[in-house]
Amino acid sequence: MRIQVRRSQKQLIAQNIDMRRLVAILILCASVTAIMASGHGQGSQQSQAQPQAQPSPSPRPAIAQVPPEEAARELNNPRSKWFREAKFGLFIHWGLYAIPAGTWKDKQIPGLGEWIMNRAKIPVKEYELLAKEFNPVKFNADEWAQFAQDAGVKYLTITSKHHDGFAMFRSMVSGYNVENGTPFKRDVIKELAAACAKHGIRFCVYYSQAQDWHEPNGAGNTWDFGPDDKKDFDQYLRDKAVPQVRELLTQYGPIGLIWFDTPRLMNEARASQFTNLVRELQPDTLLNGRLGGKGDYRSTGDNRIPNEVVPGVWEVPATINDTWGFKSYDHNWKSVEDITFKLVDIVSKGGNYLLNVGPTSEGVIPEESVVRLRAVGAWLKPNGQSIYGTSPTAFGAELKGKDWRCTTKPGKYFIHLFQWPNGTFELDGVKSKIKKSYLLVDSKNKLKVNQSGDKVSITLPARAPDKVDSVLVLEY
Ligand code: H79
């Protein structure tokens, strides 16, 4: 008996140790994932996690918080003033992948449209034949820039080269480009840069600096060229990526920012080749946070919106359906309500919203995207003052729900009402004396304000002026 008891005690202890090990391993895993998300741009998994629905324990953060000095450095950088005020940008993913549009040899390939070469392990020799078919005769740079303007974005970021290695601009560095390698024979980047300048939109480029599935020494193509750790990655940087970035900085006038991505195999020394080049050729051009060194601002993981106010300068890159590059059968379009809410939500937390469209191989932005973005632009027209150039919320309790959000300017609170309250809007924690209140679209009609200590109550009209987001202004 005694022996048996001892044995079970031992087993219990052993079990206990196992449990502790398990817990330790779980904690380790969670922190490793968190660290990956917080690293320079590794948080770009295709996650659809929504801010309000984060499960516990330890969800991977949308973006890493940085020390206050670092956030202040970002916020005080004169170079990024336009970006901090812009709040809303248009991302465009366009390349050869628009031709297969998610289907290869009659099979629908899961995942992101622009990843098709990788997901279907298409050999370079086959994939590059797409260039011979690329002839987007409906492409009209002026219409795209006009559309960007209608949508109310202040900047436009287009893929000048994605991971597939195909350049959407004329390049002396590689013939694998839109002007020299296709029947189209036109420089997309050049036409769009000119059109954006005309329409007052900051022109920016995405450039995949590390992955290049077309090149033997670029990162990522293991099916043609073997494992990345056997490659002469510096040869690729020296002979393609760095010289192509030089072309982008010298051929197209002012570049607002360069959007680097997935810094595989990158390190400080490799990143500084790009940083030095940018600073030398266009000192005003911003660097995003996914180069592999310090940038002028940070990105969240793709489609990830933080739960809280995040100090510093940052941006949420996001899809309008579930892909970046066009996929003919992805119809999961976000609604106008959802997009407007996301824009306001992000801005109220201190970030920018970079919303993507994926044009077709004909050069057409899908009508579903056009309609939605135009509707957001129509809302921004009378309500833009509550978005552009604003600062984050003065409150914070509202971030737990979805009823309202707050953006601020000196002397003003903009209360974005997504749920129209019945009769009055009640606000807690108001530190200043409210002088007047009105609806942004009806500023002549002053609303009744009741303030008692830090509690404020505004009497509202019976009906919401906007069916998505009605903006209430409180001046103090
Ligand atoms: O350009 C867009 C994406 O193509 C790019 N970033 C945005 C802005 C991006 N590159 N890598 N990632 C995003 C992370 C990709 C993850 C996945 Fe996959 C690609 C998940 C499924 C396909 C890699 C391949 C991991 C699993 C299979």
Side-chain angles (χ1 to χ4, degrees):
M1 258 315 253
R2 264 175 72 189
I3 293 165
Q4 256 188 344
V5 169
R6 269 201 200 139
R7 248 190 215 152
S8 58
Q9 270 177 344
K10 256 191 190 164
Q11 276 169 353
L12 267 178
I13 292 164
Q15 254 178 18
N16 232 326
I17 291 172
D18 276 356
M19 276 307 287
R20 268 190 242 153
R21 266 198 199 140
L22 190 70
V23 169
I25 288 167
L26 282 177
I27 291 171
L28 195 71
C29 284
S31 27
V32 167
T33 356
I35 289 164
M36 278 172 65
S38 70
H40 296 289
Q42 288 300 328
S44 58
Q45 283 92 338
Q46 185 197 11
S47 166
Q48 297 298 320
Q50 295 305 301
Q52 278 79 21
Q54 298 255 337
S56 53
S58 17
R60 185 168 64 88
I63 188 172
Q65 298 271 354
V66 293
E69 320 78 81
E70 185 63 13
R73 179 191 72 91
E74 290 172 354
L75 286 163
N76 295 326
N77 179 356
R79 205 163 35 218
S80 66
K81 183 169 183 283
W82 70 266
F83 181 82
R84 281 179 271 124
E85 292 174 353
K87 301 296 174 196
F88 194 22
L90 182 70
F91 217 170
I92 302 183
H93 274 68
W94 199 35
L96 297 181
Y97 38 80
I99 299 172
T103 303
W104 193 253
K105 299 194 171 157
D106 298 327
K107 264 236 244 350
Q108 295 196 342
I109 308 299
L112 306 169
E114 71 285 2
W115 270 75
I116 193 164
M117 180 178 178
N118 181 303
R119 292 299 297 260
K121 299 291 176 263
I122 305 171
V124 168
K125 286 280 158 273
E126 263 181 68
Y127 187 87
E128 65 185 6
L129 294 176
L130 291 171
K132 306 279 168 263
E133 279 177 57
F134 192 73
N135 197 16
V137 290
K138 294 189 181 157
F139 169 64
N140 183 325
D142 215 55
E143 278 173 22
W144 286 16
Q146 180 64 55
F147 163 64
Q149 206 181 345
D150 295 346
V153 299
K154 299 291 185 189
Y155 59 108
L156 179 158
T157 306
I158 182 166
T159 47
S160 65
K161 188 203 82 169
H162 203 268
H163 308 334
D164 66 358
F166 182 77
M168 295 294 279
F169 55 101
R170 174 185 168 186
S171 174
M172 302 304 210
V173 176
S174 159
Y176 196 45
N177 75 71
V178 69
E179 189 169 301
N180 305 113
T182 73
F184 191 49
K185 292 191 171 56
R186 278 161 58 185
D187 185 334
V188 166
I189 298 299
K190 185 176 182 177
E191 292 182 22
L192 208 49
C196 283
K198 213 169 99 191
H199 289 267
I201 306 282
R202 294 250 179 190
F203 181 72
C204 310
V205 290
Y206 172 109
Y207 187 90
S208 178
Q209 80 283 19
Q211 294 199 64
D212 191 315
W213 306 329
H214 187 257
E215 305 303 323
N217 288 316
N221 185 340
T222 50
W223 57 99
D224 282 306
F225 305 123
D228 285 352
D229 57 9
K230 298 262 154 50
K231 291 174 181 169
D232 184 358
F233 184 61
D234 287 307
Q235 183 273 328
Y236 158 74
L237 290 182
R238 189 175 56 241
D239 294 339
K240 184 166 181 186
V242 173
Q244 281 200 331
V245 169
R246 178 183 286 279
E247 291 180 325
L248 288 169
L249 288 162
T250 50
Q251 294 177 174
Y252 306 105
I255 302 289
L257 62 88
I258 306 190
W259 219 98
F260 296 105
D261 203 3
T262 61
R264 294 189 190 178
L265 305 178
M266 295 297 289
N267 55 35
E268 289 287 337
R270 287 165 174 168
S272 67
Q273 298 178 40
F274 293 95
T275 313
N276 294 342
L277 190 66
V278 172
R279 299 297 185 237
E280 177 205 326
L281 296 172
Q282 289 209 31
D284 289 338
T285 300
L286 303 177
L287 297 159
N288 80 329
R290 294 187 183 179
L291 173 58
K294 255 203 180 86
D296 292 302
Y297 71 91
R298 291 165 293 138
S299 304
T300 63
D302 295 352
N303 282 309
R304 297 289 311 277
I305 300 175
N307 298 323
E308 305 297 341
V309 172
V310 176
V313 183
W314 52 277
E315 176 183 63
V316 178
T319 52
I320 193 165
N321 46 2
D322 293 326
T323 180
W324 306 87
F326 180 69
K327 270 178 97 171
S328 61
Y329 50 92
D330 181 341
H331 304 297
N332 196 20
W333 307 102
K334 290 172 185 67
S335 65
V336 173
E337 289 77 9
D338 191 16
I339 296 167
T340 310
F341 179 79
K342 284 183 162 80
L343 171 63
V344 176
D345 186 33
I346 292 164
V347 172
S348 84
K349 292 165 179 169
N352 282 17
Y353 191 23
L354 180 64
L355 183 59
N356 182 72
V357 297
T360 68
S361 61
E362 286 190 300
V364 175
I365 299 173
E367 190 57 19
E368 293 87 342
S369 298
V370 170
V371 169
R372 283 159 178 78
L373 270 154
R374 284 226 172 97
V376 176
W379 176 84
L380 276 164
K381 242 190 160 77
N383 293 293
Q385 301 172 51
S386 68
I387 297 291
Y388 309 121
T390 59
S391 296
T393 180
F395 308 101
E398 77 277 16
L399 300 178
K400 293 202 162 53
K402 294 188 102 178
D403 287 355
W404 61 278
R405 287 294 181 265
C406 169
T407 54
T408 58
K409 274 185 182 164
K412 279 182 190 169
Y413 302 131
F414 297 102
I415 307 292
H416 299 256
L417 296 167
F418 292 92
Q419 286 297 322
W420 191 246
N422 210 348
T424 58
F425 176 72
E426 319 271 341
L427 189 58
D428 273 355
V430 182
K431 304 227 167 58
S432 330
K433 172 88 184 90
I434 302 301
K435 288 198 231 142
K436 60 178 165 184
S437 178
Y438 50 90
L439 294 167
L440 190 50
V441 293
D442 187 15
S443 56
K444 293 214 169 59
N445 269 325
K446 301 297 174 277
L447 302 173
K448 189 165 165 263
V449 181
N450 248 313
Q451 183 161 17
S452 144
D454 69 352
K455 284 195 186 345
V456 170
S457 152
I458 315 282
T459 307
L460 297 174
R463 290 173 64 86
D466 191 283
K467 66 183 196 313
V468 179
D469 173 8
S470 302
V471 183
L472 176 66
V473 187
L474 278 65
E475 285 192 14
Y476 61 90

